[in-house]
Amino acid sequence: FHPVGISSGAARLQDGDAEGAVELASKALELTPTNADFHNTLGEAHRALGNIDSAKGHFRASAEAPKPSGDGASNLAAILFDEGEKEEAALWFKRAVDLDPFKSGYQLQLGKALLALGNEAAAEGRFKKTLALDPINAEAHARLGFFHLKRGEAGKAIAEFDQAVAVDPKPGEYHRGLGLSWLSF
């Protein structure tokens, strides 16, 4: 059962009407208070309005609902990561991966959190999983390129940075990595 309010709330949010999204998603949540998608939509709307504590509460409820949402866990983790709570963020990114291991974005975010915690081996594994799910993910290619560069594997680094630049030529970091790789070749 999905009341019309949630789809309308999500549509309002996409149209930039976060206040309207809060109103509609709140009404939908009154009808089914444990619905993960409704909590996630409400969390997104509160985040758009700058109500970060409310957003975190709804994302947490989404991730812990009877039928939990990986998006809720990932959204909560992203806020925590931005607030500097790297360890707790990694736990919530792991929860998102556990809920949907085939979503490449969750794998990438978990890898970035693990890297921020200094767990390079686990981070590298997550970037490889990201590419297994999404072979043209530029950021995952670049991050693997930096791992290869750090180990002195210039040829492998060049291959990864070439892929990253081919997919997304805008980030200067990818070009810098490619240049450094060629210099160390």
Side-chain angles (χ1 to χ4, degrees):
F1 170 67
H2 286 275
V4 174
I6 189 62
S7 59
S8 299
R12 289 257 176 109
L13 190 57
Q14 288 175 347
D15 290 342
D17 181 8
E19 289 177 3
V22 167
E23 181 182 334
L24 291 172
S26 293
K27 286 178 183 176
L29 203 54
E30 287 175 14
L31 297 172
T32 54
T34 61
N35 185 289
D37 292 334
F38 299 172
H39 276 291
N40 191 59
T41 297
L42 202 48
E44 288 283 6
H46 279 292
R47 179 168 47 187
L49 292 170
N51 303 330
I52 301 304
D53 287 339
S54 292
K56 288 192 304 190
H58 284 290
F59 290 144
R60 185 179 310 273
S62 176
E64 295 176 340
K67 292 182 181 178
S69 166
D71 286 341
S74 179
N75 287 330
L76 175 59
I79 290 174
L80 293 168
F81 191 86
D82 290 345
E83 291 177 342
E85 300 292 332
K86 308 287 191 234
E87 287 183 27
E88 189 176 355
L91 293 174
W92 285 104
F93 281 131
K94 176 71 169 86
R95 172 91 169 128
V97 166
D98 290 344
L99 290 169
D100 189 352
F102 299 106
K103 192 159 186 177
S104 64
Y106 296 167
Q107 297 285 350
L108 180 69
Q109 293 300 96
L110 178 55
K112 290 165 55 174
L114 291 168
L115 187 60
L117 291 171
N119 191 341
E120 291 186 3
E124 185 175 6
R126 292 299 170 172
F127 298 140
K128 288 178 180 178
K129 285 183 182 182
T130 300
L131 289 176
L133 297 167
D134 178 12
I136 61 168
N137 187 296
E139 186 174 358
H141 278 293
R143 291 193 180 271
L144 288 175
F146 281 113
F147 280 118
H148 291 302
L149 184 60
K150 186 176 180 180
R151 289 193 291 260
E153 301 167 345
K156 290 180 180 181
I158 290 168
E160 294 293 350
F161 287 118
D162 274 343
Q163 289 290 323
V165 169
V167 173
D168 186 0
K170 292 178 185 171
E173 176 185 25
Y174 301 172
H175 294 279
R176 182 177 67 80
L178 184 58
L180 291 170
S181 300
W182 276 108
L183 287 173
S184 67
F185 197 63

